[in-house]
Amino acid sequence: MSTQHLSEQEIIRREKLQELQKLGIDPYPAPLYPVNITAEKIKQEYKGEENKADFADVCLAGRIMSIRDMGKASFAKMQDSTGSIQLYIKRDEICPGEDKTLYDKVWKHLTDIGDIFGVKGYVFTTKTGETSVHVTELTFLTKSLKPLPIVKEKDGETFDAVSDPEFRYRQRYVDLIINPTVKDTFLKRSQLINTIRDFLNAQGALEVDTPVLQAIPGGAAARPFITHHNALDVPFYLRIANELYLKRLIVGGFDWVYEFSRNFRNEGMDRTHNPEFTVLEWYTAYKDYFWMMEITEQLFEKIANTLHNSTKVQVGDKEIDFKAPFKRISIYDAIQEHTGFDVSNMNETELREVCKKLNIHTEASMGKGKLIDELFGNKCEMHYIQPTFIIDYPVEMSPLTKKHRSKAGLVERFELMVNGKEIANAYSELNDPIDQRERFEEQAELLKRGDDEAMYIDNDFLRALEYGMPPTSGIGIGIDRLVMLMTNQPSIQDVLLFPQMRPEKTGE
């Protein structure tokens, strides 16, 4: 016996389902339905008398979103994956014989908003000038048992869209049906990813896959999710980054590799953080971070132009221009500019003092690198609205980065800041295995001090470096944050189809 609690509407819909079955209509038929056109294609290409012959035999399918009953005829709105179109349904045309059950009973009494139909017919223009499909054949394809939230529409404008984020993120499938702009965000997301792929492939880069389950979580400073592999009887970690695997491939002889990596970090959730997220990382042999800045500018300019036909993108009340070149400033200069403190020669104790003066909370486990990171994060990053490369980080902040060619104590690294947030992080990669081992050992000391984001020592990666990795530049770009920017969405949850949420408490 089902324990599902049904509303009055849901009970009525189930009764209609039984009625359909009694009439011999399968509300969930198996055969292919021969769709040959979309709502959008009809609206874009139908020109009335001049090409109506091309639209004399259309077949489309979709969800019924509204019905206007006029007795022996009806108008309805059908929505497919591309948009919606008006249907005109005349009783005597879909029921040419004596039996009018299909119209009088099935269409008028057993059909609900949300049901999915297939229609065949021809395209015409109504007296009010609306391109519509004159239906000659109607097929029930799916009975909807749950009513959709009502969304009002007038003159193509949506009013009263469902805006409750709890409902929208948890039931994204409904959000996509009733809020037309939501689908557009995800189409743009796909377009953005394809633009990056095309750009990299055209440059000769190779797309690869690396493990999501890792024996050692490496390549970033983050707290991992831990799982257990039963057959091997060992703990595994969900990937926090794919960096160390991609670098192994550079050792192996590939000159340029990239991966759209699904990463997992067991950390807080907010408007720019989700525990599961997508990062693009690529590594290119014989390049440095100056080259990487230039190619990153080219890529971002191309993405903006592809999605918006302009380098200028509206983000909230700001206009952000991705026209190259972007501004460059060192992290120490940025901190001095926004706090008045020159921290370039300070030790850990002095940095703690500065944080204290600026009311920045610190933990005993934080080393010099973390303290500088807190200073920049709390006092500087929000000021960089236009694309800005923050460059030349202290060595303590960057355990995988090559030491600066001319500035002692610094590394060749940049972070790209846009709209006050980090969008990309890039290095001239560390390829000295002895230096890398020492940096890993320093990280291991931080782990002992209680820093659960410090890096583990990856001996296999060190072994790979000992075979020789060519000079390499690498970058990580947060795809979700980039999509937020390029689609003007304020929250990461709005660019993830299924963001993480607490499990529902209901039994359904």
Side-chain angles (χ1 to χ4, degrees), residues 39 60 152 173 264:
L60 62 163
K152 297 186 184 74
Y173 36 89
F264 305 84

Side-chain angles (χ1 to χ4, degrees), residues 329 331-344 346 350-351 353-360 371-384:
I329 184 172
I331 191 167
Y332 284 151
D333 288 347
I335 290 171
Q336 186 158 7
E337 185 181 311
H338 295 290
T339 69
F341 289 98
D342 178 359
V343 299
S344 56
M346 288 187 183
E350 291 166 322
L351 283 166
E353 271 307 302
V354 170
C355 287
K356 203 169 167 184
K357 283 176 187 163
L358 294 169
N359 295 317
I360 295 169
L371 294 168
I372 291 166
D373 197 21
E374 289 295 311
L375 273 168
F376 181 78
N378 280 278
K379 297 296 176 184
C380 307
E381 71 176 24
M382 74 287 292
H383 297 292
Y384 296 103

Side-chain angles (χ1 to χ4, degrees), residues 246-357:
L246 293 177
K247 286 180 180 172
R248 286 170 169 94
L249 297 177
I250 298 290
V251 171
F254 292 111
D255 275 354
W256 190 342
V257 289
Y258 74 93
E259 180 178 19
F260 287 94
S261 171
R262 183 69 83 167
N263 293 350
F264 305 84
R265 296 185 183 175
N266 202 350
E267 297 165 352
M269 293 164 65
D270 58 30
R271 293 172 84 78
T272 56
H273 293 88
N274 192 67
E276 178 181 357
F277 58 100
T278 304
V279 173
L280 163 72
E281 291 203 30
W282 86 64
Y283 293 81
T284 316
Y286 311 112
K287 303 292 191 235
D288 65 7
Y289 80 141
F290 290 116
W291 171 86
M292 187 63 85
M293 282 188 249
E294 286 175 18
I295 198 145
T296 302
E297 287 168 344
Q298 290 170 35
L299 175 60
F300 276 60
E301 201 174 315
K302 184 178 172 65
I303 292 167
N305 275 317
T306 303
L307 268 62
H308 299 284
N309 298 315
S310 167
T311 58
K312 292 178 178 165
V313 176
Q314 193 67 34
V315 180
D317 57 357
K318 307 176 193 92
E319 185 179 75
I320 294 176
D321 193 349
F322 288 95
K323 182 96 184 102
F326 301 163
K327 178 184 168 180
R328 299 176 186 189
I329 184 172
S330 80
I331 191 167
Y332 284 151
D333 288 347
I335 290 171
Q336 186 158 7
E337 185 181 311
H338 295 290
T339 69
F341 289 98
D342 178 359
V343 299
S344 56
N345 294 309
M346 288 187 183
N347 61 28
E348 191 179 312
T349 311
E350 291 166 322
L351 283 166
R352 257 179 219 290
E353 271 307 302
V354 170
C355 287
K356 203 169 167 184
K357 283 176 187 163

Side-chain angles (χ1 to χ4, degrees), residues 102 110 129 166:
L102 180 59
L110 301 180
E166 167 78 14

